Amino acid sequence: MAKKSMIEREKKRQALVEKYAAKRAALKVIATDETKTMEERFKARLALAKLPRNSSATRLHNRCQLTGRPHAYYRKLKVSRIMLRELGSNGQLPGVVKSSW
C-alpha cells in the first residue's frame, strides 16, 4: 500500500489539472498561433508560466486504484500487476483465466 500522503497529493494534482484544463488549452492555442503578434504569444506564454505547476497534466502519475502503487500499472484495468494477479486468481476479473502448464 502506498503512503496516504502520496495518494492524497496525486488527488490534489488531478483536481488542479481538471480546474485549469480549459484555461491552459486556450493559452496554448494563443501561444502557438502564428497569425498572432509576437507580443500576444509572449503574453500567453507568460500567463501559462504563472499557472500552478501541478495544473499541468504531465505532472500526473498513474496509480493503482486499489492500492495506490505507482509502478507496474496496467492502463486498461487501472490496477497494478500485483492486484491484477490477485484479482485474476480470485476470479474477480472477467475473461482472465489462471494459467498452468
Side-chain angles (χ1 to χ4, degrees):
M1 187 79 176
K3 288 170 52 174
K4 296 283 185 192
S5 60
M6 295 304 290
I7 294 170
E8 291 303 315
R9 190 179 300 169
E10 199 64 37
K11 287 179 185 175
K12 187 177 176 184
R13 281 190 191 123
Q14 182 65 42
L16 273 175
V17 167
E18 291 169 4
K19 180 179 178 183
Y20 288 100
K23 188 172 188 176
R24 187 172 279 279
L27 287 171
K28 279 187 181 180
V29 167
I30 295 170
T32 58
D33 189 5
E34 294 291 327
T35 61
K36 302 277 185 190
T37 65
M38 195 67 134
E39 291 82 23
E40 287 175 324
R41 293 186 355 219
F42 185 69
K43 284 181 184 178
R45 289 180 194 213
L46 285 177
L48 259 174
K50 287 189 187 255
L51 292 178
R53 279 192 182 176
N54 284 335
S55 68
S56 174
T58 58
R59 306 264 305 187
L60 292 176
H61 199 283
N62 292 329
R63 287 186 175 270
C64 175
Q65 294 287 318
L66 303 174
T67 61
R69 180 182 166 84
H71 298 291
Y73 172 85
Y74 286 85
R75 288 181 183 178
K76 193 171 186 177
L77 302 170
K78 297 187 179 179
V79 294
S80 66
R81 65 178 171 82
I82 297 165
M83 291 309 297
L84 175 71
R85 181 165 190 233
E86 192 174 307
L87 292 171
S89 294
N90 294 339
Q92 295 176 341
L93 291 176
V96 175
V97 180
K98 199 169 139 182
S99 176
S100 63
W101 62 90

XYZ file of all heavy atoms in Angstrom:
811
model
N 0.844 -1.181 0.000
C 0.000 0.000 0.000
C 0.890 1.244 0.000
O 1.851 1.324 0.765
C -0.885 -0.038 1.241
C -1.923 1.017 1.307
S -3.298 0.563 0.275
C -4.397 1.890 0.611
N 0.567 2.183 -0.845
C 1.330 3.427 -0.933
C 1.004 4.331 0.258
O -0.011 4.155 0.933
C 0.988 4.149 -2.227
N 1.890 5.275 0.501
C 1.647 6.223 1.582
C 0.394 7.035 1.289
O 0.157 7.442 0.153
C 2.843 7.165 1.717
C 4.062 6.511 2.308
C 5.304 7.371 2.208
C 5.146 8.754 2.735
N 6.415 9.497 2.743
N -0.394 7.265 2.315
C -1.642 8.030 2.155
C -1.351 9.442 1.659
O -2.108 9.992 0.860
C -2.400 8.109 3.479
C -2.872 6.782 3.996
C -4.076 6.332 3.251
C -4.622 5.057 3.870
N -5.598 4.417 3.053
N -0.241 10.007 2.112
C 0.087 11.374 1.714
C 0.346 11.465 0.210
O -0.042 12.445 -0.428
C 1.301 11.881 2.487
O 2.428 11.065 2.228
N 0.984 10.440 -0.346
C 1.265 10.448 -1.789
C -0.018 10.286 -2.599
O -0.191 10.918 -3.637
C 2.249 9.336 -2.142
C 3.620 9.525 -1.537
S 4.375 11.110 -1.953
C 4.719 10.872 -3.651
N -0.917 9.449 -2.109
C -2.195 9.260 -2.797
C -2.993 10.551 -2.768
O -3.567 10.974 -3.776
C -2.979 8.102 -2.146
C -2.235 6.781 -2.368
C -4.385 8.020 -2.713
C -2.792 5.621 -1.579
N -3.020 11.225 -1.620
C -3.743 12.488 -1.482
C -3.114 13.582 -2.342
O -3.816 14.399 -2.926
C -3.806 12.921 -0.017
C -4.681 12.037 0.831
C -6.111 11.927 0.318
O -6.704 12.960 -0.047
O -6.624 10.803 0.266
N -1.801 13.593 -2.426
C -1.103 14.585 -3.250
C -1.478 14.400 -4.720
O -1.677 15.363 -5.448
C 0.401 14.438 -3.055
C 1.203 15.562 -3.660
C 2.672 15.387 -3.417
N 2.982 15.357 -1.991
C 4.163 14.997 -1.502
N 5.137 14.631 -2.307
N 4.381 15.004 -0.213
N -1.577 13.130 -5.128
C -1.955 12.840 -6.509
C -3.390 13.283 -6.792
O -3.700 13.789 -7.864
C -1.785 11.342 -6.778
C -1.698 10.990 -8.219
C -0.479 11.552 -8.918
O 0.606 11.610 -8.328
O -0.615 11.961 -10.082
N -4.278 13.106 -5.819
C -5.667 13.557 -5.977
C -5.729 15.074 -6.102
O -6.503 15.620 -6.890
C -6.504 13.107 -4.780
C -6.809 11.635 -4.765
C -7.628 11.273 -3.541
C -7.848 9.791 -3.420
N -8.530 9.431 -2.169
N -4.898 15.754 -5.328
C -4.841 17.215 -5.380
C -4.367 17.689 -6.756
O -4.918 18.623 -7.337
C -3.895 17.716 -4.286
C -3.859 19.195 -4.094
C -2.936 19.547 -2.948
C -2.790 21.033 -2.784
N -1.831 21.383 -1.732
N -3.354 17.010 -7.290
C -2.863 17.336 -8.632
C -3.946 17.117 -9.681
O -4.124 17.930 -10.585
C -1.653 16.472 -8.981
C -0.380 16.930 -8.363
C 0.796 16.172 -8.940
N 1.980 16.436 -8.150
C 2.714 15.519 -7.553
N 2.425 14.245 -7.697
N 3.754 15.850 -6.835
N -4.677 16.009 -9.552
C -5.745 15.697 -10.501
C -6.814 16.790 -10.493
O -7.299 17.210 -11.541
C -6.372 14.336 -10.162
C -7.458 13.907 -11.115
C -6.959 13.657 -12.513
O -5.906 13.059 -12.706
N -7.689 14.096 -13.497
N -7.150 17.275 -9.303
C -8.154 18.338 -9.189
C -7.652 19.617 -9.844
O -8.415 20.322 -10.536
C -8.486 18.582 -7.723
N -6.376 19.949 -9.667
C -5.804 21.148 -10.282
C -5.777 21.027 -11.806
O -6.050 21.999 -12.514
C -4.388 21.389 -9.767
C -4.267 22.189 -8.485
C -2.812 22.245 -8.032
C -4.810 23.580 -8.632
N -5.447 19.850 -12.304
C -5.419 19.639 -13.760
C -6.809 19.878 -14.340
O -6.966 20.561 -15.354
C -4.906 18.223 -14.098
C -5.165 17.879 -15.549
C -3.426 18.116 -13.786
N -7.826 19.325 -13.687
C -9.201 19.496 -14.168
C -9.650 20.956 -14.075
O -10.346 21.449 -14.953
C -10.141 18.600 -13.374
C -9.938 17.132 -13.669
C -10.667 16.219 -12.710
O -11.416 16.722 -11.843
O -10.493 14.992 -12.814
N -9.237 21.635 -13.015
C -9.650 23.026 -12.807
C -9.085 23.956 -13.881
O -9.786 24.827 -14.394
C -9.182 23.492 -11.424
C -9.544 24.908 -11.087
C -9.065 25.291 -9.700
C -9.375 26.732 -9.380
N -8.851 27.132 -8.061
N -7.820 23.762 -14.228
C -7.141 24.674 -15.155
C -7.058 24.160 -16.584
O -6.413 24.788 -17.426
C -5.721 24.962 -14.650
C -5.675 25.857 -13.440
C -5.502 25.332 -12.163
C -5.810 27.235 -13.565
C -5.461 26.145 -11.054
C -5.762 28.054 -12.464
C -5.594 27.501 -11.209
O -5.542 28.322 -10.112
N -7.675 23.042 -16.896
C -7.532 22.441 -18.233
C -7.994 23.374 -19.344
O -7.283 23.553 -20.347
C -8.300 21.124 -18.293
N -9.160 23.981 -19.185
C -9.698 24.847 -20.240
C -8.832 26.094 -20.425
O -8.518 26.492 -21.556
C -11.127 25.246 -19.912
N -8.436 26.708 -19.330
C -7.608 27.919 -19.392
C -6.250 27.606 -20.023
O -5.755 28.351 -20.867
C -7.418 28.473 -17.983
C -6.741 29.805 -17.923
C -6.768 30.357 -16.511
C -6.262 31.785 -16.493
N -6.364 32.392 -15.174
N -5.671 26.496 -19.614
C -4.373 26.085 -20.138
C -4.458 25.804 -21.647
O -3.585 26.213 -22.417
C -3.909 24.843 -19.390
C -2.527 24.394 -19.701
C -2.104 23.292 -18.759
N -1.657 23.785 -17.479
C -0.434 24.263 -17.258
N 0.448 24.296 -18.218
N -0.095 24.706 -16.076
N -5.523 25.145 -22.081
C -5.696 24.839 -23.507
C -5.860 26.111 -24.327
O -5.282 26.237 -25.413
C -6.896 23.918 -23.695
N -6.631 27.059 -23.800
C -6.841 28.320 -24.522
C -5.529 29.094 -24.657
O -5.229 29.646 -25.734
C -7.878 29.162 -23.798
N -4.744 29.135 -23.596
C -3.466 29.840 -23.648
C -2.487 29.156 -24.599
O -1.713 29.822 -25.294
C -2.854 29.951 -22.251
C -3.542 30.945 -21.313
C -2.999 30.815 -19.906
C -3.374 32.372 -21.820
N -2.510 27.840 -24.649
C -1.622 27.114 -25.556
C -1.976 27.396 -27.008
O -1.088 27.511 -27.859
C -1.700 25.612 -25.288
C -0.855 25.178 -24.125
C -0.845 23.674 -24.018
C -0.003 23.241 -22.837
N 0.035 21.782 -22.708
N -3.269 27.518 -27.303
C -3.694 27.827 -28.677
C -3.175 29.197 -29.080
O -2.650 29.374 -30.181
C -5.239 27.766 -28.785
C -5.717 28.382 -30.076
C -5.710 26.329 -28.671
N -3.305 30.169 -28.194
C -2.807 31.523 -28.486
C -1.289 31.517 -28.643
O -0.736 32.149 -29.551
C -3.234 32.512 -27.373
C -4.754 32.662 -27.362
C -2.563 33.870 -27.555
C -5.293 33.411 -26.163
N -0.590 30.796 -27.753
C 0.874 30.789 -27.760
C 1.447 30.152 -29.025
O 2.550 30.517 -29.456
C 1.397 30.067 -26.534
N 0.725 29.224 -29.620
C 1.253 28.546 -30.814
C 0.672 29.079 -32.122
O 1.082 28.617 -33.190
C 0.975 27.029 -30.728
O -0.424 26.829 -30.597
C 1.707 26.409 -29.558
N -0.240 30.042 -32.048
C -0.884 30.584 -33.242
C 0.064 31.549 -33.949
O 0.430 32.596 -33.410
C -2.187 31.300 -32.846
C -3.013 31.704 -34.054
O -2.630 31.351 -35.184
O -4.048 32.365 -33.857
N 0.460 31.199 -35.159
C 1.410 32.003 -35.928
C 0.798 33.311 -36.432
O 1.519 34.246 -36.773
C 1.942 31.187 -37.114
C 2.786 29.995 -36.709
C 4.125 30.383 -36.104
O 4.691 31.410 -36.514
O 4.581 29.655 -35.215
N -0.537 33.390 -36.513
C -1.168 34.605 -37.018
C -1.188 35.717 -35.972
O -1.350 36.883 -36.334
C -2.615 34.317 -37.468
O -3.370 33.859 -36.343
C -2.645 33.270 -38.568
N -1.024 35.369 -34.711
C -0.994 36.376 -33.634
C 0.349 37.098 -33.645
O 1.356 36.583 -34.152
C -1.186 35.709 -32.270
C -2.462 34.916 -32.127
C -3.600 35.796 -31.774
C -4.841 34.944 -31.527
N -6.028 35.710 -31.411
N 0.356 38.280 -33.061
C 1.615 39.022 -32.977
C 2.532 38.372 -31.945
O 2.094 37.611 -31.097
C 1.364 40.488 -32.578
O 0.834 40.507 -31.262
C 0.420 41.166 -33.547
N 3.800 38.719 -32.029
C 4.791 38.150 -31.120
C 4.483 38.526 -29.666
O 4.662 37.709 -28.756
C 6.180 38.648 -31.519
C 7.277 37.884 -30.902
S 7.294 36.220 -31.557
C 8.998 36.040 -31.885
N 3.994 39.742 -29.453
C 3.690 40.207 -28.094
C 2.535 39.408 -27.489
O 2.579 39.034 -26.308
C 3.339 41.703 -28.090
C 4.496 42.634 -28.401
C 4.749 42.766 -29.893
O 3.811 42.519 -30.689
O 5.892 43.083 -30.255
N 1.505 39.139 -28.289
C 0.354 38.376 -27.799
C 0.776 36.949 -27.431
O 0.374 36.427 -26.382
C -0.746 38.318 -28.861
C -1.494 39.620 -29.053
C -2.489 39.551 -30.195
O -2.196 38.889 -31.204
O -3.566 40.143 -30.045
N 1.588 36.348 -28.272
C 2.055 34.985 -27.990
C 2.943 34.948 -26.758
O 2.849 34.038 -25.932
C 2.803 34.431 -29.208
C 1.849 34.231 -30.371
C 2.397 33.562 -31.580
N 3.797 33.255 -31.611
C 4.559 33.368 -32.691
N 4.060 33.806 -33.813
N 5.826 33.045 -32.649
N 3.768 35.980 -26.600
C 4.648 36.061 -25.437
C 3.834 36.231 -24.152
O 4.123 35.596 -23.135
C 5.637 37.217 -25.610
C 6.658 37.295 -24.515
C 7.638 36.323 -24.408
C 6.638 38.328 -23.600
C 8.583 36.386 -23.399
C 7.576 38.399 -22.592
C 8.554 37.429 -22.495
N 2.794 37.063 -24.200
C 1.921 37.254 -23.041
C 1.199 35.964 -22.666
O 1.016 35.658 -21.491
C 0.904 38.363 -23.303
C 1.475 39.756 -23.224
C 0.408 40.793 -23.467
C 1.013 42.193 -23.494
N 0.006 43.218 -23.786
N 0.796 35.211 -23.677
C 0.126 33.933 -23.420
C 1.080 32.959 -22.740
O 0.695 32.242 -21.813
C -0.401 33.342 -24.716
N 2.330 32.957 -23.167
C 3.318 32.067 -22.540
C 3.637 32.494 -21.120
O 3.845 31.642 -20.250
C 4.584 32.008 -23.379
C 4.337 31.237 -24.643
C 5.526 31.133 -25.513
N 5.065 30.671 -26.821
C 5.754 29.909 -27.600
N 6.931 29.497 -27.262
N 5.265 29.538 -28.770
N 3.662 33.797 -20.882
C 3.864 34.271 -19.505
C 2.686 33.877 -18.621
O 2.868 33.473 -17.465
C 4.043 35.796 -19.481
C 5.381 36.336 -19.969
C 5.375 37.856 -19.943
C 6.510 35.800 -19.105
N 1.480 33.985 -19.158
C 0.289 33.588 -18.401
C 0.305 32.082 -18.116
O -0.082 31.651 -17.025
C -0.975 33.969 -19.166
N 0.773 31.304 -19.078
C 0.912 29.859 -18.865
C 1.912 29.570 -17.750
O 1.689 28.682 -16.920
C 1.406 29.186 -20.149
C 0.394 28.468 -21.010
C 1.044 28.008 -22.305
C -0.246 27.328 -20.302
N 2.994 30.318 -17.731
C 4.024 30.111 -16.712
C 3.534 30.492 -15.318
O 4.027 29.952 -14.325
C 5.270 30.909 -17.062
N 2.562 31.403 -15.236
C 2.039 31.826 -13.936
C 1.045 30.836 -13.339
O 0.762 30.890 -12.147
C 1.383 33.199 -14.054
C 2.397 34.314 -14.215
C 1.736 35.658 -14.110
C 2.731 36.728 -14.447
N 3.218 37.437 -13.308
N 0.529 29.928 -14.177
C -0.389 28.915 -13.659
C 0.378 27.970 -12.729
O 1.591 27.816 -12.850
C -1.002 28.121 -14.820
C -1.956 28.873 -15.736
C -2.427 27.955 -16.858
C -3.136 29.411 -14.985
N -0.316 27.345 -11.797
C 0.369 26.410 -10.889
C 1.025 25.262 -11.659
O 0.466 24.783 -12.641
C -0.752 25.867 -10.000
C -1.890 26.795 -10.166
C -1.739 27.468 -11.482
N 2.196 24.865 -11.220
C 2.913 23.787 -11.901
C 2.127 22.497 -11.896
O 2.125 21.749 -12.866
C 4.256 23.528 -11.229
C 5.298 24.484 -11.646
C 6.639 24.024 -11.183
N 7.627 25.012 -11.580
C 8.886 24.947 -11.271
N 9.326 23.948 -10.548
N 9.708 25.876 -11.668
N 1.469 22.214 -10.788
C 0.736 20.956 -10.671
C -0.545 20.942 -11.492
O -1.262 19.947 -11.499
C 0.427 20.641 -9.213
C 1.642 20.130 -8.487
O 2.552 19.583 -9.092
N 1.672 20.294 -7.184
N -0.847 22.032 -12.196
C -2.034 22.038 -13.056
C -1.712 21.484 -14.448
O -2.588 21.358 -15.278
C -2.604 23.444 -13.171
O -1.730 24.294 -13.887
N -0.453 21.129 -14.669
C -0.057 20.530 -15.939
C -0.318 19.022 -15.899
O 0.008 18.346 -14.918
C 1.423 20.778 -16.191
O 1.836 20.095 -17.344
N -0.882 18.488 -16.958
C -1.237 17.068 -16.999
C -0.010 16.165 -16.968
O -0.099 15.010 -16.548
C -2.063 16.777 -18.240
N 1.149 16.681 -17.366
C 2.349 15.852 -17.360
C 2.854 15.586 -15.945
O 3.687 14.702 -15.758
C 3.487 16.502 -18.169
O 3.771 17.775 -17.621
C 3.089 16.627 -19.621
N 2.370 16.332 -14.965
C 2.786 16.111 -13.577
C 2.024 14.958 -12.923
O 2.389 14.517 -11.839
C 2.566 17.386 -12.755
C 3.220 18.618 -13.319
C 4.524 18.969 -12.771
N 4.568 19.123 -11.341
C 5.642 19.576 -10.725
N 6.687 19.924 -11.425
N 5.670 19.681 -9.432
N 0.969 14.481 -13.578
C 0.192 13.375 -13.024
C 0.963 12.072 -13.171
O 1.719 11.886 -14.123
C -1.153 13.245 -13.734
C -2.151 14.361 -13.510
C -3.390 14.123 -14.354
C -2.535 14.452 -12.047
N 0.735 11.175 -12.236
C 1.368 9.860 -12.281
C 0.284 8.811 -12.108
O -0.560 8.920 -11.225
C 2.396 9.731 -11.153
C 3.386 8.641 -11.396
N 3.084 7.329 -11.203
C 4.664 8.677 -11.827
C 4.147 6.592 -11.494
N 5.110 7.396 -11.886
N 0.279 7.809 -12.968
C -0.721 6.745 -12.869
C -0.496 5.933 -11.602
O 0.630 5.548 -11.297
C -0.636 5.819 -14.078
C -1.072 6.502 -15.341
O -1.927 7.383 -15.307
N -0.496 6.117 -16.457
N -1.582 5.667 -10.885
C -1.513 4.864 -9.669
C -2.616 3.826 -9.673
O -3.688 4.054 -10.218
C -1.683 5.746 -8.426
C -0.488 6.599 -8.140
C -0.644 7.329 -6.829
N 0.573 8.054 -6.527
C 1.588 7.549 -5.832
N 1.514 6.342 -5.350
N 2.656 8.263 -5.608
N -2.351 2.702 -9.034
C -3.337 1.634 -8.889
C -4.538 2.171 -8.119
O -4.388 2.843 -7.097
C -2.709 0.458 -8.144
S -3.856 -0.874 -7.781
N -5.745 1.871 -8.603
C -6.967 2.351 -7.949
C -7.184 1.693 -6.598
O -7.806 2.274 -5.725
C -8.183 2.067 -8.842
C -8.196 2.837 -10.135
C -8.516 4.307 -9.921
O -9.391 4.639 -9.140
N -7.796 5.164 -10.617
N -6.657 0.502 -6.420
C -6.911 -0.245 -5.188
C -5.848 -0.013 -4.118
O -6.163 0.103 -2.930
C -7.017 -1.738 -5.501
C -8.087 -2.102 -6.529
C -8.007 -3.568 -6.868
C -9.457 -1.746 -6.005
N -4.587 0.043 -4.530
C -3.509 0.154 -3.542
C -2.744 1.469 -3.601
O -2.060 1.814 -2.654
C -2.487 -0.984 -3.741
O -1.923 -0.872 -5.049
C -3.137 -2.331 -3.563
N -2.814 2.171 -4.727
C -2.059 3.414 -4.871
C -0.644 3.194 -5.368
O 0.137 4.136 -5.455
N -0.297 1.953 -5.706
C 1.054 1.644 -6.171
C 1.346 2.383 -7.486
O 0.562 2.303 -8.428
C 1.167 0.132 -6.366
C 2.526 -0.326 -6.849
C 2.527 -1.842 -7.054
N 3.684 -2.270 -7.811
C 4.870 -2.506 -7.283
N 5.055 -2.363 -5.995
N 5.874 -2.883 -8.043
N 2.498 3.092 -7.570
C 2.791 3.873 -8.770
C 3.495 3.100 -9.887
O 3.528 3.548 -11.019
C 3.704 4.981 -8.246
C 4.390 4.362 -7.096
C 3.434 3.387 -6.486
N 4.066 1.944 -9.586
C 4.809 1.185 -10.600
C 4.007 -0.020 -11.070
O 3.109 -0.494 -10.386
C 6.145 0.705 -10.030
C 7.045 1.819 -9.618
N 7.629 2.673 -10.519
C 7.438 2.247 -8.399
C 8.347 3.566 -9.860
N 8.245 3.337 -8.571
N 4.385 -0.546 -12.236
C 3.759 -1.737 -12.825
C 2.251 -1.567 -12.906
O 1.481 -2.380 -12.426
C 4.117 -2.984 -12.015
N 1.838 -0.486 -13.548
C 0.432 -0.088 -13.645
C -0.103 -0.473 -15.016
O 0.519 -0.182 -16.042
C 0.356 1.437 -13.446
C -0.983 2.058 -13.695
C -1.940 2.084 -12.698
C -1.282 2.655 -14.911
C -3.171 2.687 -12.913
C -2.507 3.250 -15.132
C -3.442 3.259 -14.123
O -4.662 3.849 -14.329
N -1.249 -1.155 -15.051
C -1.908 -1.507 -16.310
C -2.974 -0.461 -16.604
O -3.947 -0.335 -15.866
C -2.549 -2.903 -16.216
C -1.534 -4.007 -16.272
C -0.872 -4.433 -15.131
C -1.215 -4.619 -17.477
C 0.076 -5.445 -15.182
C -0.277 -5.637 -17.544
C 0.358 -6.039 -16.391
O 1.288 -7.031 -16.446
N -2.799 0.298 -17.675
C -3.706 1.401 -18.000
C -5.134 0.935 -18.251
O -6.086 1.568 -17.819
C -3.224 2.140 -19.243
C -2.005 2.960 -19.008
C -1.615 3.670 -20.275
N -0.385 4.408 -20.058
C 0.216 5.097 -20.988
N -0.270 5.151 -22.210
N 1.323 5.745 -20.717
N -5.260 -0.156 -18.962
C -6.580 -0.635 -19.350
C -7.430 -1.020 -18.135
O -8.628 -0.771 -18.099
C -6.435 -1.831 -20.281
C -7.694 -2.222 -20.984
C -7.423 -3.266 -22.043
C -8.660 -3.553 -22.842
N -8.403 -4.510 -23.907
N -6.792 -1.595 -17.131
C -7.509 -2.064 -15.947
C -7.394 -1.103 -14.760
O -8.117 -1.248 -13.778
C -6.981 -3.439 -15.538
C -7.103 -4.505 -16.619
C -6.341 -5.750 -16.214
C -8.554 -4.833 -16.874
N -6.448 -0.172 -14.826
C -6.190 0.803 -13.764
C -5.800 0.158 -12.436
O -6.153 0.641 -11.370
C -7.388 1.733 -13.577
C -7.671 2.572 -14.796
C -8.736 3.582 -14.549
C -8.943 4.396 -15.811
N -9.962 5.386 -15.668
N -5.082 -0.957 -12.522
C -4.569 -1.625 -11.328
C -3.115 -2.007 -11.560
O -2.638 -2.062 -12.697
C -5.379 -2.891 -10.946
C -6.785 -2.534 -10.538
C -5.389 -3.885 -12.068
N -2.398 -2.307 -10.477
C -1.004 -2.724 -10.577
C -0.930 -4.209 -10.899
O -1.926 -4.936 -10.810
C -0.284 -2.440 -9.263
O -0.811 -3.240 -8.233
N 0.251 -4.670 -11.219
C 0.441 -6.073 -11.583
C 0.098 -7.001 -10.421
O -0.439 -8.092 -10.622
C 1.872 -6.328 -12.046
C 2.895 -6.113 -10.946
C 4.311 -6.423 -11.410
N 5.273 -6.014 -10.410
C 5.588 -6.734 -9.336
N 5.035 -7.907 -9.139
N 6.471 -6.291 -8.472
N 0.373 -6.560 -9.217
C 0.104 -7.382 -8.040
C -1.400 -7.575 -7.861
O -1.874 -8.691 -7.641
C 0.736 -6.738 -6.796
C 2.257 -6.692 -6.977
C 0.352 -7.488 -5.537
C 2.974 -5.782 -6.016
N -2.147 -6.499 -7.964
C -3.597 -6.590 -7.813
C -4.224 -7.329 -8.998
O -5.220 -8.035 -8.829
C -4.218 -5.199 -7.654
C -3.868 -4.527 -6.344
S -4.167 -5.536 -4.885
C -5.908 -5.783 -4.947
N -3.637 -7.176 -10.188
C -4.128 -7.901 -11.352
C -4.036 -9.403 -11.106
O -4.987 -10.145 -11.347
C -3.327 -7.516 -12.595
C -3.650 -8.294 -13.861
C -5.020 -7.906 -14.384
C -2.600 -8.037 -14.917
N -2.905 -9.842 -10.586
C -2.709 -11.266 -10.308
C -3.661 -11.749 -9.224
O -4.272 -12.810 -9.329
C -1.266 -11.495 -9.891
C -0.981 -12.937 -9.621
C 0.502 -13.206 -9.559
N 0.679 -14.651 -9.538
C 1.390 -15.286 -8.636
N 2.001 -14.618 -7.692
N 1.493 -16.588 -8.674
N -3.795 -10.941 -8.187
C -4.672 -11.326 -7.073
C -6.139 -11.395 -7.505
O -6.846 -12.357 -7.188
C -4.509 -10.321 -5.935
C -5.122 -10.756 -4.640
C -4.790 -9.790 -3.518
O -3.603 -9.496 -3.315
O -5.742 -9.334 -2.854
N -6.595 -10.390 -8.241
C -7.980 -10.375 -8.711
C -8.234 -11.497 -9.710
O -9.303 -12.122 -9.702
C -8.320 -9.021 -9.342
C -8.370 -7.830 -8.387
C -8.507 -6.539 -9.175
C -9.491 -7.973 -7.391
N -7.249 -11.762 -10.580
C -7.389 -12.841 -11.541
C -7.443 -14.194 -10.864
O -8.223 -15.075 -11.242
N -6.634 -14.398 -9.839
C -6.623 -15.667 -9.106
C -7.932 -15.893 -8.356
O -8.384 -17.023 -8.203
C -5.465 -15.691 -8.114
O -4.246 -15.689 -8.811
N -8.523 -14.812 -7.881
C -9.788 -14.915 -7.151
C -10.996 -15.010 -8.084
O -12.116 -15.183 -7.610
C -9.973 -13.713 -6.218
C -8.955 -13.698 -5.111
O -8.368 -14.731 -4.788
N -8.719 -12.538 -4.528
N -10.764 -14.873 -9.382
C -11.856 -14.962 -10.342
C -12.716 -13.717 -10.397
O -13.880 -13.767 -10.785
N -12.162 -12.569 -10.016
C -12.926 -11.327 -9.986
C -12.784 -10.510 -11.268
O -13.435 -9.480 -11.405
C -12.527 -10.495 -8.769
C -12.888 -11.169 -7.465
C -12.409 -10.390 -6.270
O -11.533 -9.545 -6.373
N -13.002 -10.676 -5.115
N -11.921 -10.948 -12.176
C -11.763 -10.270 -13.466
C -12.366 -11.139 -14.555
O -11.890 -12.263 -14.779
C -10.291 -9.999 -13.763
C -9.585 -8.965 -12.906
C -8.118 -8.889 -13.267
C -10.221 -7.611 -13.061
N -13.387 -10.663 -15.250
C -13.981 -11.484 -16.302
C -13.019 -11.677 -17.466
O -12.336 -10.752 -17.893
C -15.211 -10.684 -16.732
C -14.965 -9.301 -16.274
C -14.061 -9.387 -15.093
N -12.937 -12.912 -17.946
C -12.085 -13.219 -19.091
C -10.661 -13.560 -18.739
O -9.881 -13.949 -19.603
N -10.282 -13.420 -17.484
C -8.903 -13.728 -17.077
C -8.913 -15.115 -16.456
O -9.646 -15.395 -15.518
C -8.381 -12.689 -16.054
C -6.998 -13.085 -15.556
C -8.354 -11.320 -16.693
N -8.087 -16.000 -17.016
C -8.021 -17.382 -16.548
C -6.633 -17.645 -16.000
O -5.626 -17.234 -16.578
C -8.317 -18.371 -17.713
C -8.256 -19.798 -17.233
C -9.671 -18.072 -18.313
N -6.561 -18.312 -14.870
C -5.293 -18.660 -14.261
C -4.569 -19.668 -15.147
O -5.151 -20.657 -15.581
C -5.560 -19.246 -12.884
C -4.372 -19.232 -11.970
C -4.811 -19.572 -10.572
C -3.796 -20.485 -9.942
N -4.158 -20.904 -8.616
N -3.316 -19.388 -15.422
C -2.548 -20.228 -16.335
C -1.824 -21.329 -15.580
O -1.345 -21.133 -14.462
C -1.536 -19.366 -17.092
O -0.741 -20.165 -17.901
N -1.722 -22.506 -16.193
C -0.919 -23.584 -15.628
C -0.409 -24.454 -16.764
O -1.106 -24.690 -17.740
C -1.768 -24.420 -14.659
O -2.823 -25.027 -15.321
N 0.834 -24.932 -16.633
C 1.397 -25.815 -17.637
C 2.423 -26.723 -17.018
O 2.790 -26.634 -15.915
C 1.988 -25.040 -18.828
C 3.103 -24.128 -18.496
C 4.422 -24.407 -18.473
C 3.006 -22.732 -18.143
N 5.144 -23.301 -18.141
C 4.304 -22.268 -17.922
C 1.928 -21.861 -17.992
C 4.560 -20.958 -17.560
C 2.204 -20.567 -17.630
C 3.509 -20.122 -17.420
